[in-house]
Amino acid sequence: MESEDKGKLDSAAASAASQSSLEGEDPFGDAVLIAVDGSKQSEEAFDWYFQHLHRRENNIILIHAMEIPVMPTRETWDQQMQSSNKKKEEIQEKFEHKLKALGVTGGRFISGIEKPGEFIVETAKRENVSYIVMGTRGQGKLRRTIMGSVSDYVVHHIHCPVIVSRT
């Protein structure tokens, strides 16, 4: 179940083409997928990207995988879905505000109810992104082996570079 919320984020490809100043540079920029989940680590990865790599002609795609309800019953499904939707809306609003404050007028917010690693990989392939930016919680080796790591999954299952910000 995927929903694409374009909301206040408009495509700026046409204006970006006229703003490109480097000879031989792609006037439409790179498609950059930035994973956001409301954690401090994802926000730091977002900030790191904008401080070090962003070009105004890049096409920013923010992605958020909503949590899959754990062992829902008929009674708890609606409550769990409402909670997930509320969190998604808060994250979307927060990052749309951050983009606006940075002067970024183009971009999209994509969310879905899937396993985060798989959702990021599938979306990156479908959107033909140039690279992915994401944070990591820096779990220990044992915990990562048992619980799994979203960044580890993405790094091992994607066709493009992945920047894992560890701040």
Side-chain angles (χ1 to χ4, degrees), residues 37-39 41 87 135-140 143 149 151 164-166:
D37 65 3
S39 70
Q41 291 85 359
K87 182 179 177 182
T136 183
R137 294 192 177 138
Q139 299 176 17
R143 183 175 175 142
S149 162
S151 58
V164 179
S165 172
R166 194 174 191 153

Side-chain angles (χ1 to χ4, degrees), residues 64-82:
H64 172 67
M66 294 168 47
E67 294 180 28
I68 299 171
V70 181
M71 300 290 284
T73 64
R74 288 183 203 170
E75 295 79 30
T76 62
W77 175 260
D78 286 338
Q79 181 183 8
Q80 290 179 17
M81 288 307 301
Q82 286 177 346

Side-chain angles (χ1 to χ4, degrees), residues 142-163:
L142 179 62
R143 183 175 175 142
R144 187 174 54 245
T145 301
I146 295 168
M147 300 293 292
S149 162
V150 174
S151 58
D152 190 57
Y153 181 90
V154 172
V155 165
H156 288 95
H157 290 89
I158 195 61
H159 65 284
C160 66
V162 179
I163 298 166

Side-chain angles (χ1 to χ4, degrees), residues 4-10 92 96 107-109:
E4 193 169 317
D5 299 311
K6 294 184 181 176
K8 303 171 191 168
L9 302 175
D10 299 325
Q92 181 176 357
E96 283 178 347
R108 291 182 287 157
F109 185 91

Side-chain angles (χ1 to χ4, degrees), residues 16-28:
S18 65
Q19 295 173 356
S20 179
S21 60
L22 298 176
E23 184 106 7
E25 183 178 317
D26 180 357
F28 297 107

